[in-house]
């Protein structure tokens, strides 16, 4: 409390301490939760609720993280070399404050520090790390998390090519942060206002590179589509990319177009969540649109919806796997015949990408979840994960990018239109080529995250023999994976009908996730398999929780 420069969290903590001192059991438990642990680097760096405490996101924790990361970069650079770090931030509460604190601490530690000129999408920061030849990048964002969350994503340049941190760097950074925290006073850390603010040339370069992913064909002129930024920072940059690439301007969901840290029109600012795209569906019906494009709040994810008379309201959101396979098909056709070219996806994404790679003579890699792994696949020309993340231009951005993937999807829609077909027709064409794949997901959001560990432990101690009525042929615990194979807290079951079920804790949210994939002759058959397995998974989880 003494070292916290933020009066809001100081006052918040003072109130809890006062109640705890009087014997309030709730306040004592709150203190234990806030200070019994530290936020650790996970799939996307630091991420957590905004509040006082070492287990929350606040100015004390961010200062410790910045100073620790600076020490890591100085050590990594070696004697006589001054590291460069670039910082970006989105429109969430405290994002600019955390970014400015970090810039002052990096500069105070002797690093060349470049702050992006204003709030911008995460992909612009990922691009800037490579474009500026920086040693590292930091993006202050919590992506699609609830409104009161924020986070700190870390990227490394040089041999890491602007990808997110992986082991052993994460542990080394954490050790430096612990040493800073142990000193107990962030006010003693050197700060400097001698940092640079990047000019618009960085943003302009991103816009040119991203527009070049899929310049608009002639058929794009009649494309009628809707866009929503989900209260995030995507619109300004994306609208410039769309214009530069030559696509017609979209009809917009105005209530969600500009940054709003309260995310007032949605329960969760994640296009995957039920109800999050209802306003875009209404807008699409009103204007007779052919397509809906949505970004999440920091614009590193892409959601797509298409007309569907069988769906409630006449529109349905494509699954992450449907989009991922379409974009993978596009990449495979472009890369066919390129020696060493590969497609990559997380191990919980559709096995259909492997079928596409095989059909076009490309290499294929399955990785652990997270683009810090996907982006490092050898020879990658395209990568995706089913949680609406797509990497379509690895030469410029080594992370998921909801803007470049949206441009690629617009290009596919325009090309289809020139043949008199739709995105739905493209899905049918792909199915005819590689077979029918369907996927589903069952998620449990918990208040007590220890429940997730108990369920995973129970599954390991007493492995199920079946999911619903379908026997399990084999089970793999990826904590015990062989050297060289993806290793993590993941259980993978292969079933007698050829389907697959994977169970893992979320790396960014208090959720247990179960992924279901099936392959059949027809889409309807594959979907029936998935539906039956979803019922079986829910029954299994209910019994364990």
């Amino acid at each position: 409390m003494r070292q916290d420069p933020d009066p809001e969290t100081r006052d918040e903590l003072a109130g809890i301490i006062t109640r705890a001192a009087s014997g309030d059991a709730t306040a004592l438990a709150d203190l234990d939760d806030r200070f019994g642990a530290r936020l650790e680097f996970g799939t996307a760096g630091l991420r957590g609720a905004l509040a006082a405490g070492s287990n929350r996101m606040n100015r004390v924790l961010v200062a410790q993280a910045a100073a620790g990361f600076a020490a890591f970069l100085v050590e990594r650079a070696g004697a006589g070399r001054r590291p460069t770090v670039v910082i970006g931030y989105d429109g969430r509460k405290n994002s600019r404050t955390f970014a400015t604190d970090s810039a002052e601490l990096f500069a105070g530690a002797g690093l060349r520090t470049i702050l992006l000129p204003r709030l911008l999408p995460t992909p612009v920061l990922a691009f800037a790390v490579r474009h500026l030849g920086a040693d590292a990048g930091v993006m202050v964002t919590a992506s699609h998390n609830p409104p009161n969350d924020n986070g700190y994503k870390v990227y490394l340049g040089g041999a890491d090519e602007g990808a997110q941190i992986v082991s052993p760097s994460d542990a080394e950074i954490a050790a430096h942060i612990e040493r800073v925290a142990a000193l107990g006073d962030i006010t003693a850390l050197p700060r400097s206002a001698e940092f640079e603010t990047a000019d618009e040339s960085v943003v302009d370069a991103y816009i040119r590179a991203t527009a070049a992913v899929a310049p608009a064909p002639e058929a794009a002129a009649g494309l009628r589509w809707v866009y929503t930024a989900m209260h995030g920072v995507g619109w300004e940059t994306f609208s410039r990319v769309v214009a530069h690439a030559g696509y017609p301007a979209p009809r917009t969901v105005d209530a969600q177009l500009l940054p709003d840290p309260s995310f007032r029109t949605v329960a969760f600012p994640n296009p995957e969540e039920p109800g999050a795209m209802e306003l875009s569906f209404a807008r699409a019906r009103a204007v007779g649109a052919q397509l809906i494009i949505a970004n999440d709040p920091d614009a590193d994810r892409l959601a797509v919806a298409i007309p569907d008379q069988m769906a409630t309201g006449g529109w349905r959101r494509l699954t992450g796997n449907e989009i991922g396979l379409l974009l993978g098909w596009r990449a495979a056709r472009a890369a066919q015949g390129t020696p060493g070219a590969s497609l990559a996806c997380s191990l919980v994404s559709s096995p259909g990408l492997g079928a596409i790679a095989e059909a076009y003579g490309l290499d294929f890699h399955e990785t652990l979840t997270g683009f810090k792994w996907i982006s490092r696949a050898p020879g990658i020309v395209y990568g995706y994960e089913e949680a609406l993340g797509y990497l379509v231009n690895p030469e410029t951005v080594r992370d998921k990018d909801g803007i470049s993937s949206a441009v690629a999807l617009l290009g596919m829609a325009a090309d289809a239109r020139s043949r008199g077909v739709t995105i739905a027709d493209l899905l049918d064409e792909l199915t005819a080529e590689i077979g029918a794949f369907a996927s589903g997901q069952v998620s449990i959001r918990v208040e007590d995250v220890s429940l997730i560990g108990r369920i995973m432990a129970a599954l390991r101690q007493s492995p199920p023999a079946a999911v619903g009525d379908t026997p399990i042929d084999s089970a793999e615990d990826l904590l015990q994976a062989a050297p060289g194979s993806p290793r993590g807290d993941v259980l993978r079951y292969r079933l007698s009908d050829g389907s697959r079920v994977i169970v893992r804790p979320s790396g960014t949210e208090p959720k247990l996730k179960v992924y279901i994939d099936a392959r059949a002759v027809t889409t309807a058959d594959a979907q029936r398999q998935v539906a039956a397995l979803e019922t079986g998974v829910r029954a299994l989880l209910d019994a364990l929780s």
Side-chain angles (χ1 to χ4, degrees):
M1 186 168 63
R2 283 194 301 269
Q3 64 179 315
D4 190 353
D6 188 334
E8 182 177 337
T9 43
R10 268 202 321 270
D11 291 348
E12 172 191 343
L13 187 52
I16 298 168
I17 291 170
T18 299
R19 293 194 298 276
S22 69
D24 185 321
T26 301
L28 285 165
D30 192 10
L31 279 179
D32 184 58
D33 184 47
R34 290 166 182 262
F35 290 94
R38 290 185 62 81
L39 284 184
E40 296 180 357
F41 281 92
T43 303
L46 290 170
R47 194 176 291 186
L50 291 166
S54 59
N55 201 24
R56 302 287 190 273
M57 285 295 297
N58 50 69
R59 292 182 70 184
V60 176
L61 186 86
V62 167
Q64 293 166 347
F69 188 41
F72 165 83
L73 292 173
V74 169
E75 181 179 86
R76 189 174 189 247
R81 201 171 76 79
R82 184 189 185 200
T84 297
V85 61
V86 58
I87 307 166
Y89 58 96
D90 69 4
R92 283 179 176 263
K93 182 182 177 183
N94 283 0
S95 284
R96 181 177 176 84
T97 298
F98 291 163
T100 304
D101 279 347
S102 297
E104 291 177 353
L105 287 157
F106 289 148
L111 279 62
R112 182 191 175 202
T113 305
I114 304 169
L115 182 66
L116 291 185
R118 60 183 179 283
L119 49 87
L120 285 161
T122 293
V124 177
L125 181 279
F127 171 85
V129 173
R130 300 180 74 178
H131 180 71
L132 297 173
D135 295 88
V138 168
M139 182 69 192
V140 182
T141 179
S143 191
H144 59 284
N145 272 39
N148 196 48
D149 284 9
N150 214 326
Y152 205 76
K153 291 181 71 171
V154 174
Y155 299 80
L156 292 176
D160 290 274
E161 298 187 284
Q164 292 179 55
I165 58 168
V166 294
S167 180
S169 295
D170 52 358
E172 293 169 5
I173 294 166
H176 280 290
I177 294 171
E178 289 283 357
R179 283 193 283 273
V180 173
L183 298 175
D185 187 7
I186 64 165
T187 65
L189 296 171
R191 286 179 177 252
S192 171
E194 298 299 314
F195 58 84
E196 304 169 36
T197 299
D199 60 32
E200 287 298 315
S201 64
V202 176
V203 183
D204 293 342
Y206 172 82
I207 287 165
R208 287 193 302 272
T210 306
V213 167
E218 286 186 16
L223 195 61
R224 190 164 57 256
W225 58 293
V226 163
Y227 174 77
T228 177
M230 204 65 69
H231 297 296
V233 296
W235 171 240
E236 183 207 14
T237 304
F238 183 48
S239 62
R240 291 177 62 191
V241 170
V242 165
H244 197 84
Y247 292 93
R251 278 69 166 181
T252 58
V253 181
D254 294 344
Q256 298 177 336
L257 199 60
L258 300 179
D260 173 10
S262 71
F263 305 106
R264 65 187 183 280
T265 69
V266 291
F268 288 96
N270 179 355
E272 290 183 293
E273 293 287 343
M277 292 187 66
E278 286 303 317
L279 290 181
S280 61
F281 292 168
R283 181 72 166 135
R285 288 191 294 269
V287 301
Q290 301 148 359
L291 183 69
I292 297 171
I293 297 285
N295 286 137
D296 71 334
D298 69 328
D300 66 348
R301 285 173 169 83
L302 165 71
V304 177
I306 60 174
D308 185 344
Q309 294 307 310
M310 301 298 291
T312 303
W315 282 82
R316 77 172 179 96
R317 182 182 65 78
L318 299 185
T319 68
N321 282 322
E322 286 175 318
I323 301 168
L325 295 184
L326 282 176
L327 291 174
W329 190 30
R330 171 187 179 272
R333 287 181 292 186
Q336 189 173 23
T338 304
S342 74
L343 308 181
C345 66
S346 64
L347 57 86
V348 298
S349 300
S350 174
L353 191 67
I356 292 172
E358 182 179 4
Y360 286 85
L362 303 178
D363 293 339
F364 174 64
H365 302 283
E366 256 188 351
T367 75
L368 290 174
T369 56
F371 272 82
K372 62 183 181 181
W373 302 112
I374 295 169
S375 66
R376 287 178 162 81
I380 186 170
V381 295
Y382 170 77
Y384 96 96
E385 61 182 5
E386 52 72 43
L388 305 183
Y390 315 97
L391 191 166
V392 300
N393 54 340
E395 292 307 308
T396 54
V397 176
R398 286 279 168 154
D399 195 13
K400 58 184 174 290
D401 182 346
I403 296 177
S404 61
S405 53
V407 172
L409 199 286
L410 285 172
M412 293 190 77
D415 287 338
R417 190 171 181 277
S418 71
R419 297 193 288 119
V421 300
T422 66
I423 292 292
D425 295 322
L426 292 183
L427 288 167
D428 290 340
E429 291 175 9
L430 179 58
T431 295
E433 192 169 310
I434 65 165
F437 290 83
S439 58
Q441 186 179 132
V442 176
S443 294
I444 300 177
R445 183 180 289 272
V446 299
E447 294 295 328
D448 178 5
V449 293
S450 67
L451 176 61
I452 294 174
R454 291 198 296 272
I455 292 174
M456 295 296 289
L459 288 169
R460 288 186 166 98
Q461 291 163 8
S462 301
V467 177
D469 296 328
T470 308
I472 293 174
D473 278 353
S474 66
E476 301 168 81
D477 182 351
L478 269 62
L479 281 177
Q480 311 300 325
S485 298
R487 183 177 295 186
D489 190 7
V490 179
L491 297 170
R492 179 163 54 190
Y493 304 99
R494 301 189 188 278
L495 281 63
S496 61
D497 61 359
S499 55
R500 183 185 74 180
V501 173
I502 297 176
V503 186
R504 63 174 279 268
S506 170
T508 58
E509 298 176 271
K511 282 183 176 181
L512 181 72
K513 292 186 172 184
V514 182
Y515 306 83
I516 300 163
D517 288 285
R519 184 178 189 177
V521 175
T522 69
T523 299
D525 286 343
Q527 289 172 340
R528 278 192 288 271
Q529 283 179 261
V530 167
L533 290 171
E534 285 179 345
T535 300
V537 164
R538 289 192 179 93
L540 177 62
L541 294 180
D542 285 345
L544 293 173
S545 57

